[in-house]
Amino acid sequence: MLDGLDDIGWRRLGHAYGAADDVPDLIRALRSADPAARDDALGTLYTTVFHQGSRYEASAYAVPFLLELLSDPATPDRPAILALVTSLAIGYDEAVLPDGFPIGSYRRAAEGGRDLLAAKPAPWSGEHQATKEYVEYTYVESLDAADQARLWAYVDVAVYDAARAGVPLFRHLLADPDPWVRTGAAYALAWFPEEAAGSVAALARATDVSQVTGAGAVEVATMLVASGLLNAAPDHRWLADPPAGGPVRRRRRTGTGAGPGGRPHDGRGADDLDRRPARRDGRPDGRRLAAVPQR
């Protein structure tokens, strides 16, 4: 598990706070037996390789190892890791809804960005903030607006394509025993239109299975919306009110009961569910973002 993680030149790669040499330990901590250690590692990854929706050079290198963790049923908190991978792929979904992810536009915008990224100097690394050198920031600021846009678009596409490699895994996870993994997998598939043919078929099969298993409303709705974002024709069987006692039941916005797949419900309605970890705008030590400019 995680073979090759230490073979990456993380110190040469940058994230929101400079050199990404802390990323390997953070990824390993996602398999820790200590829930607090896992939560801290996940939160720190959200503030480094995915800071306020921005992705960085190191982000694309982290994704394959996150996918490897997802592929192992023994990995704890897989729904949270799946949410991180999806966030890395697309940023915040509200920016691309209701139309889906415009990957064609991103690819066109990224033309020329590879050479600009290759010319970027290695990020600063060290323990003492007083001696920090803003080498990446200075380089990016030296570019005109058009080249900055090309650079960032190339970074975003590189991360997106790293996550796209996980599409076969996401389809496989539609049959996972954990309903939250199944729901997260359906959500992830929604953002890869270049893989639509296989994903729509996989989502259709999973939706049919849900009629037999009595999957929760959030899970089924996510599958249907994901199919729609991939331009699939609507399945009219699910557009009418279900019969009493059918597999999808209306649930009051408040109250308790069973959640998706029988998981205990916490009293929130479907509109309130958001399993993405809360945004964290700063590191635990309070340092300000400085290595690269915000977009």
Side-chain angles (χ1 to χ4, degrees), residues 57-83:
E57 186 179 13
S59 306
Y61 289 83
V63 168
F65 298 104
L66 296 174
L67 292 174
E68 185 177 356
L69 293 180
L70 274 176
S71 70
D72 184 359
T75 298
D77 304 330
R78 284 188 300 154
I81 297 173
L82 187 48

Side-chain angles (χ1 to χ4, degrees), residues 182 206 208-216 219 247 261:
R182 297 195 301 267
D208 288 341
V209 169
S210 71
Q211 295 186 79
V212 178
T213 61
E219 179 181 344

Side-chain angles (χ1 to χ4, degrees), residues 187-210:
Y187 173 77
L189 288 172
W191 310 111
F192 297 95
E194 294 162 324
E195 304 288 343
S199 295
V200 167
L203 287 163
R205 289 192 296 270
T207 305
D208 288 341
V209 169
S210 71

Side-chain angles (χ1 to χ4, degrees), residues 13-18 20 45-63 66 83-96 101-103 106-107 117 120 136 140 148-163 191-192 276 289 291-295:
L13 303 174
H15 59 37
Y17 291 93
L45 286 168
Y46 264 99
T47 63
T48 53
V49 297
F50 182 80
H51 185 92
Q52 298 177 344
S54 294
R55 282 85 80 201
Y56 303 90
E57 186 179 13
S59 306
Y61 289 83
V63 168
L66 296 174
L84 174 59
V85 170
T86 309
S87 295
L88 284 166
I90 67 167
Y92 293 130
D93 59 9
E94 57 262 36
V96 294
F101 194 76
I103 184 57
Y106 270 80
R107 294 198 189 284
L117 182 63
K120 180 183 68 64
E136 285 189 301
V140 174
Q148 287 190 33
R150 292 186 187 97
L151 171 62
W152 290 125
Y154 178 79
V155 168
D156 289 346
V157 169
V159 183
Y160 178 90
D161 282 339
W191 310 111
F192 297 95
R276 182 175 62 200
L289 175 64
V292 287
Q294 289 296 288
R295 284 169 281 174

